[in-house]
Amino acid sequence: MRIAYVVPGPMSKGPMGLAEMRRRETLLNSWAFPGTEVTVVDVPDGPASIESAYEEALCVPATINLIMKCERDGFDAAIIGCFGDPGLEAARELTTMPVVGPCESSLLLAAGLGHKFSILTIFDSMVAGQEFLAYKAGVRDKLASVRATGIPVLDLMKRPEQTKARLVETAALCVKQDRADAFLFGCMTMSFLDLAEEISAAVGAPAVNAGKAALKHAETLVSMGLSHSKTAFPMPMKMQAGQPFEALRVA
Amino acid sequence: MRIAYVVPGPMSKGPMGLAEMRRRETLLNSWAFPGTEVTVVDVPDGPASIESAYEEALCVPATINLIMKCERDGFDAAIIGCFGDPGLEAARELTTMPVVGPCESSLLLAAGLGHKFSILTIFDSMVAGQEFLAYKAGVRDKLASVRATGIPVLDLMKRPEQTKARLVETAALCVKQDRADAFLFGCMTMSFLDLAEEISAAVGAPAVNAGKAALKHAETLVSMGLSHSKTAFPMPMKMQAGQPFEALRVA
Amino acid sequence: MRIAYVVPGPMSKGPMGLAEMRRRETLLNSWAFPGTEVTVVDVPDGPASIESAYEEALCVPATINLIMKCERDGFDAAIIGCFGDPGLEAARELTTMPVVGPCESSLLLAAGLGHKFSILTIFDSMVAGQEFLAYKAGVRDKLASVRATGIPVLDLMKRPEQTKARLVETAALCVKQDRADAFLFGCMTMSFLDLAEEISAAVGAPAVNAGKAALKHAETLVSMGLSHSKTAFPMPMKMQAGQPFEALRVA
Amino acid sequence: MRIAYVVPGPMSKGPMGLAEMRRRETLLNSWAFPGTEVTVVDVPDGPASIESAYEEALCVPATINLIMKCERDGFDAAIIGCFGDPGLEAARELTTMPVVGPCESSLLLAAGLGHKFSILTIFDSMVAGQEFLAYKAGVRDKLASVRATGIPVLDLMKRPEQTKARLVETAALCVKQDRADAFLFGCMTMSFLDLAEEISAAVGAPAVNAGKAALKHAETLVSMGLSHSKTAFPMPMKMQAGQPFEALRVA
Amino acid sequence: MRIAYVVPGPMSKGPMGLAEMRRRETLLNSWAFPGTEVTVVDVPDGPASIESAYEEALCVPATINLIMKCERDGFDAAIIGCFGDPGLEAARELTTMPVVGPCESSLLLAAGLGHKFSILTIFDSMVAGQEFLAYKAGVRDKLASVRATGIPVLDLMKRPEQTKARLVETAALCVKQDRADAFLFGCMTMSFLDLAEEISAAVGAPAVNAGKAALKHAETLVSMGLSHSKTAFPMPMKMQAGQPFEALRVA
Amino acid sequence: MRIAYVVPGPMSKGPMGLAEMRRRETLLNSWAFPGTEVTVVDVPDGPASIESAYEEALCVPATINLIMKCERDGFDAAIIGCFGDPGLEAARELTTMPVVGPCESSLLLAAGLGHKFSILTIFDSMVAGQEFLAYKAGVRDKLASVRATGIPVLDLMKRPEQTKARLVETAALCVKQDRADAFLFGCMTMSFLDLAEEISAAVGAPAVNAGKAALKHAETLVSMGLSHSKTAFPMPMKMQAGQPFEALRVA
């Protein structure tokens, strides 16, 4: 099967650049089941990184366009490459192939690992937003806590040892103080550090890589012949009534 | 005080046109407390109407720009002129003046009218989204039901008698079957039909006009010297670190 | 419009006296929208202050009588002047004009200021009661905490600097430890200290004056032509069946 | 042990009269464990029956006085003889002996009979209030429904066959449509019809007599040496500070 | 009435032995209402003590057999003598006499003592399980906390002073930090230390002995002619269709 | 990877027999990702089918023994082959390899397909139990309904056309009346009919085969190097203290 991993910002033009995109593609393919091929693509313009509601909103229109193109190009599924799952519902309205988001995917996976789990996020200002996402995913009752490391997305890869230490320390608080049985990386750059096993061993509780979780979720859906329900995510009514996609926008 | 009512679609270019914008402005000013002046503005491009998650996402970037301009232009508060409150959190991140959304405003008002209330919406496909907005507003426990009339936004004003009959019939089901004590119009075009009193009398329960509710909410906040909390809606971190708003977007 | 602010205890006969009642009346009128006139009245007998379930119960019968009289006297709305909203439901059963309570009004207002809010109360023994009121208002999910200052109602005005310091300190704990984005004064005497702006500035989060919130709530309802639903608060059945109000009591 | 059953209205002066009080006393004593003696007392003035929030509020001050007198007179526990549990919290503040309410007692008993239970009440207008009492008792999650028979309290005993038929019919709807596994009589006059066994047999699910449930609750607490927690129901602060009970009221 | 207290492990063969079984029987009879006779019986094989989900599962088949025998032998009710209420639902499927579990019984009793209560348990690993039991009992909203003493079941009686000190210390944390108004002993061996009054006095909040609570629950049900609902706990379908109990097992 | 599918009843000795076990093994292997090998095993004795709490309890001890043997035999993961997930927590206490249950697996998968989903079960008496499993899995908020077909497990395969018709009809009610966006087969025999695609097409909403879901869940966990958290499911304390597994049982 062919899966598109759609980065909802212009990563190839930003500080991380094409090299990081290719590195993530290689990692994704190394994580995949035999027979899965993952391609990483990014949008032409949008936010450098997504750390606020505004930056999240900014990326959606271009991301939807790219996901629709992926479906036309024959991909079997798409992953939205940002932990906030920006545009997930809109994308599902406009596709029939499965579209998954790393937040929803990793929340549902973490829910099966124990009684409670926590999310490691970037800033305190993102805590409430991720609590809402847990509610939307239906697993709010299992969320022990969301704790921020305070390291901006674009700095996570700069000082890896410091990042790792902070992740271990924050995850340990989730387990000891919040009674989390597992935790997940609430940021794709965090996840693509590929440190889940190491940090899990240090903390003594399972750690979920949100990128891997989204990949497995997509592979599972394709393999089972399942996709999101069109009763939940119907095509916009104007398109059901015969108007083309382009007509939704007036300018 | 001066309040901007920001239509998140290019209404002046669409089927409703500038005349409808002016009519709504006149209504809003007639509803206002003495000393309040309301100006209706719309964005240059975006969706013709908002009936799906995609159309909602489509409108946000331009709407935020316009709200920011309103604050620079000296308005005391802004109302986002769509019941889905598109971009409400993003707008609050980028402003200090109060920004209100008719959904949140009318939910909080309806919550004080009785034990339970219902929302009248457009399509069945919008029910889950509005239940989620009620959760976000914090009043999910008081939501008796969301019921759809099935009349598209752009058709609501075409056959007013039919629309009114459907609204009465749907609201009556909310009261009789779902035990709602009050109901609200979950669509601005529905609200600007200005039929709340008539429909309330026919149904025997209070009806909340979401446009009026948003206006009163904005007037209340300005009058009390209150605005949304910056701990909940902080300026994006990159701007806090000194980057200009424009730098958030990379192209 | 004319609004009655009904003090549910014999304030004019107590330690605060008529002077405090007139001071509050002056403040309320200064907070009102143009065209609103507020009159403060008190009941002839009842508790000196309300700090327990018993004292709350004690005040209700006389308060209802006075609110009914206000409606007969042509007031457009009434505010019950105690944060516990004593007799709110009973008063609504016996009136058609809007009757609001500062607790419900300020909870619904605070719910729109951020993700979570807190209540500052008098004694620890009142925490559970105010959590119930938040449930009744429908916003329990947004209540971050209720924290007590430990200063009795009748002492709040005696040492204003100490009171202010304790309020700042308690509110700061709500914001820092309980993740409240806003807070409200869960006592009318606290609210009428008129320190919301000052304390808000010190704490860095919006502060809601419950007296102002109730006033704006009443003004909003009257201005919108709304009142509480009679399906939620019906006239007692014996009165619906033709008996007079006086017949409800047997002695 | 000696238990006072305190009727919160002047039953002896009303249409039911002293004969009904004595009949209830005889029934209560017949239901008691060996060694328990129940005395039924009523207040000197108050509502003829309690079918609204106003009538409930009306009865509380006198009821508290009578319960305090019962404690001084050496009773081991008191039952508030109205299903709305009027004044339960206030009474607990002012006593150390156990005070129970038939609503709380029967809800907690019914919760142990199956997955869900329902309440049979008098009027539709009382549904929300009883849902709130279920929340207060902590068992809201187990409440399948509250259904009203529509027969006023003072008419329940007049046409017993009709009353019984209506109770069977209403309870059957709770079981069949609302998935209740058990149901309880949400009114003391309903409970004192002493029809629980008969109606249970007709419906095929256990029926809880709220009067019996309150009696067993009181007997259990006394027998275990338990009473309500004074951290939850502390004596009013003014009394803790040395003032007498009488000083709580100013006139 | 005759009540069987069924120990779901082979206590008479274990370290506590027959002497402890007889001591518990004596205590139970001393706690009972006049006219109640309690007999303590144990199963022939199973776990030495129950401190894990596995040990709980291990005891159920033999326990059900013994409870069914008790019903055939004419007992009026049975108590499952382990705080985890192992097999409670299965036992209710196969009996018509009341079967109660100390966990459910004591949770429902504690719920009536204040706003919130806590459970004292053995190990941290049992916290989540007891939270689930509180959900099942329907009173999850009233559970302030579950706190573990860390003393294994079989050690509780060895150093009584140390055990008592730890129970006081743990209960005090529940009251002070978790706002519990009452607490209960989440283990039968803890309950049969018969220290509830002493620990309650030391902590300043009511303490519920789960063994006593179960006994009173059973006595209450028998005395009221009530038992668990057969709509909630029906006889296995194969038996309803005529097969004998023995046919449920294939070997 | 090698996965054991452990049937918790003696299927090879029952009416379905070894042929059905081999058929299920073939199906499971046909559903698996390349490189996965599934082996179906059953326990030597236990219930013929599991349709009550008693039958569920009956199967657990032997099932745990068999799962432990599978881990010793080098399997990478085990699936408990009954939708009630009997013994799931106990099995996780005694293994480090992943053990999954079809109920939890399919609930978590269905939660990602839309806003709400339903479960198709066997008998009405199983509804409450499955609601509780949804709570345990953490997705209770997304469960639209549990609806029973009324066809006993052992009859499902006898009249396939009738079974299929009943499944379509029941699922359609879930979608139309309960607003489910997806549904799942709450019984393994239902799932192994392998009719998900056909029934999904007839109903117009995704259908989840619980057997496939459990397999994908196990494959995902093994592929990600994850297993259940040992903080949630610790080895029994006596074994942590050095006693052998066998010592947990006393006879």
Side-chain angles (χ1 to χ4, degrees):
Chain A
M1 71 182 80
R2 290 177 59 218
I3 295 176
Y5 181 95
V6 180
V7 181
M11 185 183 269
S12 59
K13 296 176 183 162
M16 289 181 170
L18 199 59
E20 177 62 13
M21 275 179 68
R22 289 294 80 89
R23 191 184 72 87
R24 293 189 182 189
E25 190 173 80
T26 304
L27 272 174
L28 285 160
N29 280 289
S30 76
W31 297 335
F33 284 112
T36 300
E37 185 193 323
V38 188
T39 307
V40 175
V41 294
D42 68 348
V43 295
D45 70 292
S49 70
I50 300 181
E51 297 167 336
S52 65
Y54 174 71
E55 288 161 302
E56 190 175 311
L58 194 59
C59 80
V60 176
T63 301
I64 303 302
N65 287 343
L66 184 49
I67 290 171
M68 290 174 74
K69 180 175 181 306
C70 288
E71 184 165 45
R72 289 192 305 269
D73 290 351
F75 281 95
D76 296 296
I79 298 166
I80 295 179
C82 170
F83 188 79
D85 295 358
L88 182 60
E89 289 169 55
R92 287 175 172 174
E93 288 173 352
L94 291 157
T95 55
T96 55
M97 71 170 178
V99 180
V100 301
C103 178
E104 187 186 67
S105 301
S106 54
L107 289 170
L108 294 174
L109 187 66
L113 296 174
H115 306 302
K116 300 263 182 193
F117 62 86
S118 290
I119 302 176
L120 306 188
T121 192
I122 301 297
F123 295 125
D124 273 339
S125 57
M126 301 164 85
V127 170
Q130 302 203 342
E131 287 174 348
F132 277 126
L133 287 170
Y135 176 78
K136 251 196 181 165
V139 294
R140 183 68 183 80
D141 289 346
K142 284 210 151 186
L143 184 64
S145 60
V146 185
R147 284 188 180 258
T149 60
I151 306 175
V153 172
L154 300 176
D155 291 358
L156 282 167
M157 298 174 71
K158 290 183 185 161
R159 266 165 280 165
E161 283 311 308
Q162 222 170 321
T163 297
K164 193 160 66 183
R166 188 74 65 81
L167 289 169
V168 168
E169 175 194 347
T170 311
L173 287 174
C174 295
V175 172
K176 274 173 216 150
Q177 293 193 4
D178 311 330
R179 303 193 67 89
D181 297 311
F183 56 95
L184 55 90
F185 299 113
C187 163
M188 299 323 289
T189 300
M190 249 187 227
S191 288
F192 278 105
L193 296 172
D194 203 18
L195 293 169
E197 285 183 44
E198 213 170 321
I199 292 171
S200 168
V203 173
V208 176
N209 175 324
K212 256 192 208 176
L215 173 60
K216 295 297 148 188
H217 193 191
E219 290 179 293
T220 290
L221 292 172
V222 174
S223 151
M224 289 178 73
L226 284 172
S227 191
H228 48 272
S229 175
K230 295 311 287 186
T231 65
F233 310 105
M235 185 182 290
M237 282 297 177
K238 298 183 188 73
M239 292 172 73
Q240 289 187 39
Q243 297 185 40
F245 172 68
E246 290 70 25
L248 296 182
R249 178 192 281 263
V250 174
Chain B
M1 71 184 80
R2 291 176 58 220
I3 294 177
Y5 181 95
V6 180
V7 181
M11 185 184 267
S12 59
K13 297 174 184 163
M16 290 180 168
L18 199 59
E20 176 63 12
M21 275 179 68
R22 290 293 78 89
R23 191 183 71 86
R24 293 189 183 190
E25 192 174 77
T26 304
L27 272 174
L28 284 160
N29 280 289
S30 76
W31 297 335
F33 284 113
T36 299
E37 183 195 324
V38 188
T39 308
V40 176
V41 293
D42 69 347
V43 295
D45 71 291
S49 70
I50 300 182
E51 297 168 336
S52 65
Y54 174 71
E55 286 160 303
E56 190 176 310
L58 194 58
C59 79
V60 176
T63 302
I64 303 302
N65 287 342
L66 184 50
I67 290 171
M68 290 174 73
K69 179 176 183 306
C70 289
E71 185 165 45
R72 288 193 305 269
D73 290 351
F75 280 95
D76 296 296
I79 298 166
I80 296 179
C82 170
F83 188 78
D85 295 356
L88 181 60
E89 290 168 54
R92 287 175 171 173
E93 288 173 352
L94 290 157
T95 55
T96 54
M97 71 171 178
V99 181
V100 301
C103 178
E104 189 187 65
S105 301
S106 54
L107 290 170
L108 294 174
L109 187 66
L113 297 173
H115 306 303
K116 299 262 181 193
F117 62 86
S118 290
I119 302 175
L120 306 188
T121 191
I122 302 296
F123 295 125
D124 273 339
S125 58
M126 301 165 84
V127 171
Q130 302 202 344
E131 288 174 347
F132 185 64
L133 287 170
Y135 176 78
K136 253 197 178 164
V139 294
R140 183 67 182 81
D141 289 346
K142 284 209 151 185
L143 183 64
S145 60
V146 186
R147 284 186 180 259
T149 60
I151 307 175
V153 172
L154 300 176
D155 291 358
L156 282 167
M157 297 175 70
K158 291 183 186 162
R159 266 164 283 165
E161 283 312 308
Q162 221 169 322
T163 296
K164 191 159 69 185
R166 188 75 62 82
L167 288 170
V168 168
E169 173 194 349
T170 311
L173 287 173
C174 295
V175 172
K176 273 173 215 150
Q177 293 193 6
D178 311 329
R179 304 192 65 88
D181 298 310
F183 55 96
L184 56 91
F185 299 113
C187 163
M188 299 323 289
T189 300
M190 249 186 226
S191 287
F192 279 104
L193 295 172
D194 203 17
L195 295 168
E197 284 181 46
E198 212 170 322
I199 293 172
S200 169
V203 174
V208 177
N209 175 325
K212 257 192 208 177
L215 173 60
K216 296 296 150 190
H217 194 191
E219 290 179 294
T220 290
L221 292 172
V222 174
S223 150
M224 289 178 73
L226 284 173
S227 191
H228 49 271
S229 176
K230 295 310 286 186
T231 65
F233 309 105
M235 185 183 290
M237 283 296 178
K238 297 182 188 72
M239 291 173 72
Q240 289 188 38
Q243 296 186 40
F245 172 68
E246 292 69 26
L248 296 182
R249 178 192 281 264
V250 175
Chain C
M1 72 183 79
R2 290 177 59 220
I3 294 177
Y5 180 95
V6 180
V7 182
M11 185 184 268
S12 59
K13 297 176 184 160
M16 292 180 168
L18 199 60
E20 176 62 13
M21 274 180 67
R22 291 292 81 89
R23 192 184 70 86
R24 293 189 184 190
E25 191 174 79
T26 305
L27 272 174
L28 284 161
N29 280 289
S30 76
W31 297 334
F33 284 112
T36 299
E37 183 194 325
V38 187
T39 307
V40 176
V41 294
D42 68 348
V43 294
D45 70 292
S49 71
I50 301 181
E51 298 168 335
S52 65
Y54 174 71
E55 286 160 304
E56 189 176 313
L58 194 59
C59 79
V60 176
T63 302
I64 303 302
N65 287 343
L66 184 50
I67 291 172
M68 291 174 73
K69 178 175 184 307
C70 289
E71 185 165 43
R72 288 193 307 268
D73 289 351
F75 281 95
D76 296 296
I79 299 167
I80 295 179
C82 168
F83 188 79
D85 295 357
L88 181 60
E89 290 169 55
R92 288 176 171 174
E93 288 173 352
L94 291 158
T95 56
T96 54
M97 72 171 177
V99 181
V100 302
C103 179
E104 188 187 65
S105 301
S106 55
L107 290 170
L108 294 174
L109 187 67
L113 297 174
H115 306 304
K116 299 263 181 191
F117 63 85
S118 290
I119 302 176
L120 305 188
T121 192
I122 302 295
F123 295 124
D124 273 339
S125 57
M126 300 164 86
V127 171
Q130 303 202 343
E131 287 173 349
F132 278 125
L133 287 170
Y135 176 79
K136 251 197 180 165
V139 295
R140 184 67 183 79
D141 288 346
K142 286 210 151 187
L143 183 64
S145 59
V146 184
R147 284 188 182 259
T149 59
I151 307 176
V153 171
L154 299 177
D155 291 357
L156 282 167
M157 297 175 71
K158 291 183 185 161
R159 267 166 281 166
E161 283 313 307
Q162 220 169 322
T163 296
K164 191 160 69 184
R166 187 74 65 81
L167 288 169
V168 168
E169 174 194 350
T170 311
L173 287 174
C174 295
V175 173
K176 274 173 216 150
Q177 293 193 6
D178 310 330
R179 304 192 66 89
D181 297 311
F183 56 96
L184 55 90
F185 299 113
C187 163
M188 299 324 288
T189 300
M190 251 187 225
S191 287
F192 278 104
L193 295 173
D194 203 18
L195 294 170
E197 284 181 47
E198 211 170 323
I199 292 172
S200 170
V203 173
V208 177
N209 175 324
K212 258 192 207 176
L215 173 61
K216 295 296 149 187
H217 194 191
E219 289 179 294
T220 290
L221 292 172
V222 173
S223 152
M224 289 178 73
L226 284 172
S227 191
H228 48 272
S229 177
K230 295 311 285 186
T231 65
F233 309 105
M235 185 183 289
M237 282 297 176
K238 297 182 190 73
M239 291 173 72
Q240 290 188 38
Q243 297 185 39
F245 172 69
E246 291 70 26
L248 297 182
R249 178 191 280 263
V250 175
Chain D
M1 71 183 81
R2 291 176 59 219
I3 295 177
Y5 181 95
V6 179
V7 182
M11 185 183 268
S12 59
K13 297 175 184 163
M16 290 181 168
L18 198 60
E20 177 62 12
M21 274 179 68
R22 290 293 80 87
R23 190 184 72 86
R24 292 189 183 189
E25 191 175 79
T26 304
L27 272 174
L28 284 161
N29 280 290
S30 76
W31 297 335
F33 283 113
T36 300
E37 183 194 325
V38 189
T39 307
V40 175
V41 293
D42 67 349
V43 294
D45 70 292
S49 69
I50 300 182
E51 296 167 337
S52 64
Y54 174 72
E55 286 160 303
E56 190 176 311
L58 193 59
C59 79
V60 177
T63 302
I64 303 301
N65 287 343
L66 183 49
I67 291 172
M68 290 174 73
K69 178 173 184 309
C70 288
E71 186 166 43
R72 287 193 306 269
D73 290 352
F75 281 95
D76 295 295
I79 298 167
I80 296 180
C82 169
F83 188 78
D85 295 356
L88 182 59
E89 290 168 54
R92 287 175 172 174
E93 288 173 352
L94 290 157
T95 55
T96 53
M97 71 171 177
V99 180
V100 302
C103 179
E104 188 186 65
S105 301
S106 55
L107 291 170
L108 295 174
L109 187 67
L113 296 175
H115 307 302
K116 300 261 183 194
F117 62 86
S118 290
I119 302 175
L120 306 187
T121 190
I122 300 297
F123 295 124
D124 274 339
S125 58
M126 300 165 85
V127 171
Q130 302 202 343
E131 287 174 349
F132 184 64
L133 287 172
Y135 176 78
K136 254 198 177 165
V139 294
R140 184 68 182 78
D141 289 346
K142 286 209 150 186
L143 183 64
S145 60
V146 185
R147 285 187 180 260
T149 60
I151 307 175
V153 172
L154 300 177
D155 291 0
L156 282 167
M157 297 174 71
K158 291 181 185 162
R159 268 165 281 165
E161 282 312 307
Q162 222 170 319
T163 296
K164 190 160 69 184
R166 188 74 64 80
L167 288 170
V168 167
E169 176 194 347
T170 311
L173 287 174
C174 295
V175 172
K176 273 174 214 150
Q177 294 194 6
D178 311 329
R179 304 192 67 87
D181 298 310
F183 56 94
L184 55 91
F185 300 113
C187 163
M188 299 323 288
T189 300
M190 249 186 225
S191 287
F192 279 105
L193 295 172
D194 203 17
L195 294 169
E197 284 182 45
E198 212 171 322
I199 292 171
S200 169
V203 173
V208 176
N209 175 325
K212 257 192 208 177
L215 173 61
K216 295 296 150 188
H217 193 192
E219 289 179 294
T220 290
L221 292 173
V222 173
S223 149
M224 289 178 73
L226 285 172
S227 191
H228 49 272
S229 175
K230 294 311 288 186
T231 65
F233 310 105
M235 185 184 289
M237 282 297 177
K238 297 182 190 72
M239 291 172 73
Q240 290 187 38
Q243 297 184 40
F245 172 68
E246 291 69 25
L248 297 182
R249 177 192 281 262
V250 175
Chain E
M1 71 182 81
R2 289 177 59 220
I3 295 177
Y5 181 95
V6 179
V7 182
M11 185 183 268
S12 58
K13 296 175 184 162
M16 289 181 170
L18 199 59
E20 177 62 14
M21 277 179 67
R22 289 295 78 89
R23 191 184 71 87
R24 295 190 181 188
E25 191 174 80
T26 303
L27 273 173
L28 284 161
N29 280 291
S30 76
W31 298 334
F33 284 112
T36 299
E37 182 194 325
V38 188
T39 307
V40 176
V41 293
D42 68 348
V43 294
D45 70 292
S49 69
I50 299 181
E51 298 168 335
S52 66
Y54 174 71
E55 286 161 303
E56 189 175 313
L58 194 59
C59 79
V60 176
T63 302
I64 303 303
N65 288 342
L66 183 50
I67 290 171
M68 290 174 73
K69 180 174 182 307
C70 288
E71 185 165 43
R72 287 192 307 268
D73 288 352
F75 281 95
D76 296 295
I79 298 166
I80 296 179
C82 169
F83 188 79
D85 294 357
L88 182 60
E89 290 169 54
R92 287 175 171 173
E93 289 172 353
L94 291 157
T95 55
T96 54
M97 71 171 177
V99 180
V100 302
C103 178
E104 188 187 65
S105 301
S106 53
L107 291 169
L108 294 173
L109 186 67
L113 296 174
H115 306 303
K116 300 262 181 194
F117 63 85
S118 291
I119 302 175
L120 306 189
T121 191
I122 302 295
F123 295 124
D124 274 339
S125 57
M126 300 163 86
V127 171
Q130 302 201 343
E131 288 174 347
F132 278 125
L133 287 171
Y135 175 79
K136 251 195 180 164
V139 294
R140 183 67 182 81
D141 289 345
K142 285 211 150 186
L143 183 64
S145 60
V146 185
R147 284 187 181 259
T149 60
I151 307 176
V153 172
L154 299 177
D155 292 358
L156 282 167
M157 297 174 71
K158 290 183 186 161
R159 268 165 279 166
E161 283 312 307
Q162 222 170 322
T163 296
K164 191 161 66 184
R166 188 76 63 81
L167 288 169
V168 168
E169 175 194 349
T170 310
L173 287 173
C174 295
V175 172
K176 274 173 215 151
Q177 294 194 4
D178 310 330
R179 304 193 65 88
D181 297 310
F183 56 95
L184 56 90
F185 300 113
C187 164
M188 299 323 289
T189 300
M190 249 186 226
S191 288
F192 279 105
L193 295 173
D194 203 18
L195 295 169
E197 285 182 44
E198 211 171 323
I199 293 172
S200 169
V203 173
V208 176
N209 175 325
K212 257 191 208 176
L215 173 61
K216 295 296 150 188
H217 194 191
E219 290 179 295
T220 291
L221 292 172
V222 173
S223 150
M224 290 178 72
L226 286 172
S227 190
H228 48 272
S229 176
K230 293 312 286 186
T231 66
F233 309 105
M235 186 183 288
M237 282 297 177
K238 297 181 189 74
M239 291 172 71
Q240 290 188 38
Q243 297 185 40
F245 172 67
E246 291 69 27
L248 297 181
R249 177 191 281 263
V250 175
Chain F
M1 73 183 78
R2 291 176 59 218
I3 294 176
Y5 181 95
V6 179
V7 182
M11 184 183 269
S12 59
K13 296 175 184 163
M16 290 180 168
L18 199 59
E20 178 60 14
M21 276 179 67
R22 290 293 79 89
R23 192 184 72 85
R24 293 188 182 189
E25 189 174 80
T26 304
L27 272 173
L28 284 160
N29 280 289
S30 76
W31 296 335
F33 284 112
T36 299
E37 185 194 324
V38 188
T39 307
V40 175
V41 293
D42 69 347
V43 294
D45 70 291
S49 70
I50 300 181
E51 297 167 335
S52 65
Y54 175 71
E55 286 160 303
E56 191 176 311
L58 194 59
C59 80
V60 177
T63 302
I64 303 302
N65 287 343
L66 184 50
I67 290 171
M68 291 175 74
K69 179 174 183 307
C70 289
E71 185 165 44
R72 287 192 307 267
D73 289 352
F75 281 96
D76 296 295
I79 298 165
I80 295 179
C82 170
F83 188 78
D85 296 356
L88 182 60
E89 290 169 54
R92 287 175 171 174
E93 288 173 351
L94 291 158
T95 55
T96 54
M97 72 171 178
V99 180
V100 302
C103 179
E104 188 187 65
S105 301
S106 55
L107 290 171
L108 294 174
L109 187 66
L113 296 173
H115 306 303
K116 299 262 183 192
F117 62 85
S118 290
I119 302 175
L120 308 188
T121 191
I122 301 296
F123 295 123
D124 274 339
S125 57
M126 300 164 85
V127 171
Q130 302 203 344
E131 288 174 348
F132 184 64
L133 287 170
Y135 176 77
K136 254 197 178 164
V139 295
R140 184 66 184 81
D141 289 346
K142 286 210 149 186
L143 183 64
S145 60
V146 185
R147 283 187 181 259
T149 60
I151 307 176
V153 172
L154 300 176
D155 291 358
L156 282 166
M157 298 174 70
K158 290 184 184 161
R159 268 165 280 166
E161 282 313 307
Q162 222 171 320
T163 297
K164 191 158 68 183
R166 187 75 64 79
L167 288 169
V168 168
E169 175 195 347
T170 311
L173 288 174
C174 295
V175 172
K176 273 173 216 150
Q177 294 193 5
D178 310 330
R179 305 192 65 89
D181 298 309
F183 56 95
L184 56 91
F185 300 114
C187 163
M188 300 322 289
T189 300
M190 251 187 223
S191 288
F192 279 105
L193 295 172
D194 203 18
L195 294 170
E197 286 182 42
E198 212 170 322
I199 292 171
S200 169
V203 173
V208 176
N209 175 325
K212 256 192 208 176
L215 173 61
K216 295 296 150 189
H217 193 192
E219 289 179 295
T220 290
L221 292 173
V222 174
S223 152
M224 289 179 73
L226 284 172
S227 190
H228 48 272
S229 176
K230 294 312 286 187
T231 65
F233 309 105
M235 185 182 290
M237 282 296 176
K238 298 184 189 72
M239 291 173 72
Q240 290 187 38
Q243 297 185 41
F245 172 68
E246 290 70 26
L248 297 181
R249 178 193 281 263
V250 175

